[in-house]
Each structure stands twice: as structure tokens, then as C-alpha cells.
Amino acid sequence: MDVKSRFVERILQEEGVLMTRYQEAAIRKRTTSRSGNLLSHRAMTVSAGTGASGTLSLRHIDYERFLDMKRLHRGSKTYRSNRKIHNRFVFGTYGHVAKRLMTEFTDEVAAKLKGTINAG
């Protein structure tokens, strides 16, 4: 694995851990847990690509997205939801990842990563 792919993988891993931690706190605060499915069916994975590519994936239960919508229509009634447990964290993480990838890859970071790659 080269230096850039190691850097991308590290950034994605750090941001993914932060996203899941903050999102879990929001889910616990803004929802009432009956079955625990929202928290138990979540998983975050990071896979490094070649060069400066990589993937951060968040797997979650389908209805998490519906709880995040401003209005949920059931029949003729409209229920307000807007719990802010999904989009806020996903799109916030996109922004943090982009900013960190653009600004944090310096010669010093590359040298440190080369040292860890050679030692491991």
C-alpha cells in the first residue's frame, strides 16, 4: 500500500468513527428505542483503493432515512418527524473528509506514513 492510499484510509477511518459516534448520540437523544434496531443494524466500513481513492460506507436500517424527513405521510394524516439523525451527519462527514484530504497531506505527513509502512 502506498503513502497516499494509507493517508486516505486513515482519514476515512477517523471521520467514519467520529460520524458513527456522534450519530449514535443523536439517535439515542432524539428517538425512543423500542427494539434497538436503529443502533444494532449500523456498520461502518472503510476500504482503501489505489492511489488517492478509498471508500467509506455506512450501512443502516432503511427507515432511518424516513425518520430524518421533515414530514412523513401515512394515509391522510401527516406526521412531523425531522429528527435530524441521518443527513446532518452524512453530509457533514463528506465536508470534513474533503477538507482534510485537500489540506492535511503534507511532506511531513508523507514522511511519517512512509516510516510506518516500512516498519510494518
Side-chain angles (χ1 to χ4, degrees):
M1 182 180 291
D2 66 335
V3 175
K4 281 189 180 180
S5 60
R6 179 67 61 102
F7 171 75
V8 170
E9 181 182 26
R10 190 185 78 197
I11 296 294
L12 292 176
Q13 185 69 35
E14 290 172 2
E15 290 296 329
V17 167
L18 285 175
M19 176 182 65
T20 55
R21 184 181 307 149
Y22 294 145
Q23 186 185 33
E24 180 177 338
I27 288 171
R28 288 186 190 280
K29 181 179 177 183
R30 295 185 179 119
T31 63
T32 55
S33 178
R34 293 186 184 127
S35 64
N37 285 336
L38 275 175
L39 294 174
S40 64
H41 287 88
R42 295 170 61 235
M44 186 265 310
T45 57
V46 173
S47 59
T50 58
S53 67
T55 305
L56 169 62
S57 300
L58 176 67
R59 186 177 54 84
H60 58 83
I61 201 154
D62 293 339
Y63 67 83
E64 178 181 304
R65 294 280 294 119
F66 292 105
L67 294 174
D68 202 46
M69 292 179 181
K70 288 186 180 181
R71 291 186 181 180
L72 179 64
H73 301 283
R74 289 188 185 155
S76 61
K77 296 180 180 181
T78 300
Y79 297 91
R80 294 199 180 268
S81 184
N82 197 19
R83 290 191 176 98
K84 297 180 181 175
I85 59 173
H86 184 81
N87 285 345
R88 163 178 285 184
F89 299 98
V90 171
F91 289 106
T93 300
Y94 287 158
H96 288 142
V97 167
K99 181 179 177 183
R100 288 185 69 188
L101 289 176
M102 287 189 297
T103 59
E104 291 184 16
F105 190 73
T106 61
D107 294 334
E108 183 178 305
V109 171
K112 285 182 183 177
L113 286 173
K114 282 181 186 177
T116 61
I117 290 171
N118 293 336

